[in-house]
Amino acid sequence: MTTPAAQRGTTTVADRAVRRIAERAATEALAPGTVEVGGGSATVRGRRARVGVTVTLPYPAVLDESGERVRSHVAERTARLTGLTVPSARIRVRGLSRHELSAGRLTPGVQNAEVGAHRPWSERRLPVAVSALLAAAVCGVLLYDVVSVHAAGNAPARWRVDAMEWLSAHGPAGATTTGVLAAIGVFALGVWLLVLAVTPGRRSVLPMRPPVRGMRAVLDRRAVAVLLRDAVTDVPGVGRVRVRVGRRTARVRAGLGFGELQGARRAVAEAAEAAAAGLGLAGPLRLRVRLSTEPSWRAPKGSGPGARSGSGPDEAERSAP
């Protein structure tokens, strides 16, 4: 007599074995050598297993995408190798480690991540909230009056009767001054809302080149101005520095207190260009650098007649892409 398969015995997978499989699966989720495992846990109850792994992810990387890839791979790989049901895996990111990213690692197309970097879109919470509150208030008052008339048999509110009478007497055919002004106001409000809807806003930030696709980085204009000002101030002889940063252009105005004018002019322009190149912006920042001599400036001794003739205020401007 043959013993049924269900009664021949059982196969038990130890918690330790499931834990080792889950830890190994975590290291295979991303590119080889990029995920470091700091420990794991596993609990087997019948045909179900719960696993957890503590990992260190590579930097830079999109944490939510990388964590989700590790979690799904650990759950699927553990279930396939053990034959158990793994409903989900718990992933704890302990830290980040820096790895050099080559072409195609972690996220495909990383080498082209700087393409298409745009200024982030403003949520414009205040205009939307004000518009929504006003619309809700008007609709609520009107709905209350309509329901009180049709449901409770009350007389319509005086303001609604007056409004209907005024609208009937001041329609488009009348072309009164009040109607024209109201139409202009409604039209201006509509144009303003359309402009807010189709423009990104957030003019105070500049987009940066993202290190990986899917990551967005911005730099505040005030921070750009501070960095440019600090770089130009380090030039010997330069005193006061004023910087104004726009969306595509930065204007640097510096004053020379002492030193040779032509050399300082080149040093200021080079310092500004080097600082702008190190900002990591998505688009080139055009520089307008102007150096003027301070009232107390005097030409250095032995600089020649050309320098002495320029002892008064002098300004020069240099543009850089």
Side-chain angles (χ1 to χ4, degrees):
M1 183 176 179
T2 304
T3 305
Q7 301 178 7
R8 296 175 187 173
T10 58
T11 301
T12 302
V13 182
D15 297 351
R16 179 181 178 184
V18 177
R19 175 178 59 83
R20 295 292 297 272
I21 292 174
E23 293 174 352
R24 178 72 181 198
T27 61
E28 302 171 351
L30 303 181
T34 58
V35 178
E36 302 175 3
V37 176
S41 62
T43 304
V44 180
R45 293 292 183 269
R47 303 296 303 173
R48 298 172 62 90
R50 297 185 178 274
V51 296
V53 183
T54 301
V55 298
T56 299
L57 296 180
Y59 177 86
V62 184
L63 290 182
D64 56 350
E65 294 181 3
S66 301
E68 176 60 24
R69 291 175 61 182
V70 173
R71 188 202 64 77
S72 59
H73 183 79
V74 168
E76 294 174 2
R77 185 69 169 169
T78 305
R80 186 183 308 114
L81 294 180
T82 60
L84 302 175
T85 300
V86 183
S88 65
R90 185 179 65 257
I91 303 299
R92 178 177 179 269
V93 180
R94 181 181 59 183
L96 302 175
S97 62
R98 188 172 183 83
H99 290 269
E100 296 297 330
L101 299 179
S102 59
R105 291 180 61 182
L106 291 184
T107 306
V110 169
Q111 61 273 20
N112 298 324
E114 67 276 5
V115 178
H118 302 288
R119 193 172 67 227
W121 210 272
S122 175
E123 297 181 359
R124 291 191 171 95
R125 298 177 179 177
L126 182 60
V128 172
V130 172
S131 302
L133 288 177
L134 290 178
V138 172
C139 294
V141 173
L142 181 60
L143 180 62
Y144 172 79
D145 185 65
V146 172
V147 171
S148 65
V149 170
H150 293 277
N154 299 328
R158 184 61 186 174
W159 62 266
R160 188 157 67 97
V161 175
D162 294 341
M164 295 301 298
E165 293 178 354
W166 185 90
L167 290 175
S168 62
H170 298 78
T176 61
T177 303
T178 306
V180 172
L181 293 178
I184 293 175
V186 173
F187 176 77
L189 177 61
V191 171
W192 179 61
L193 292 176
L194 288 176
V195 171
L196 292 181
V198 301
T199 55
R202 300 195 66 179
R203 301 178 62 87
S204 62
V205 297
L206 299 175
M208 302 179 64
R209 291 191 302 270
V212 295
R213 186 176 298 278
M215 181 181 295
R216 174 171 292 174
V218 295
L219 189 61
D220 193 89
R221 289 189 189 180
R222 291 173 295 183
V224 175
V226 170
L227 293 174
L228 292 176
R229 183 171 62 247
D230 292 345
V232 174
T233 305
D234 291 339
V235 176
V238 174
R240 59 179 179 86
V241 179
R242 292 179 299 175
V243 181
R244 294 183 60 185
V245 180
R247 289 182 55 189
R248 298 182 178 88
T249 305
R251 292 176 172 83
V252 181
R253 303 290 183 266
L256 183 63
F258 62 88
E260 196 270 325
L261 181 60
Q262 296 297 331
R265 185 181 302 162
R266 291 192 299 269
V268 167
E270 292 173 357
E273 293 171 5
L279 295 175
L281 298 178
L285 186 65
R286 293 191 295 269
L287 295 177
R288 300 290 185 267
V289 181
R290 177 174 295 178
L291 178 66
S292 61
T293 56
E294 299 285 2
S296 59
W297 178 85
R298 293 294 182 271
K301 295 182 179 180
S303 58
R308 292 183 180 277
S309 62
S311 58
D314 186 14
E315 291 187 351
E317 184 171 327
R318 175 173 177 178
S319 301

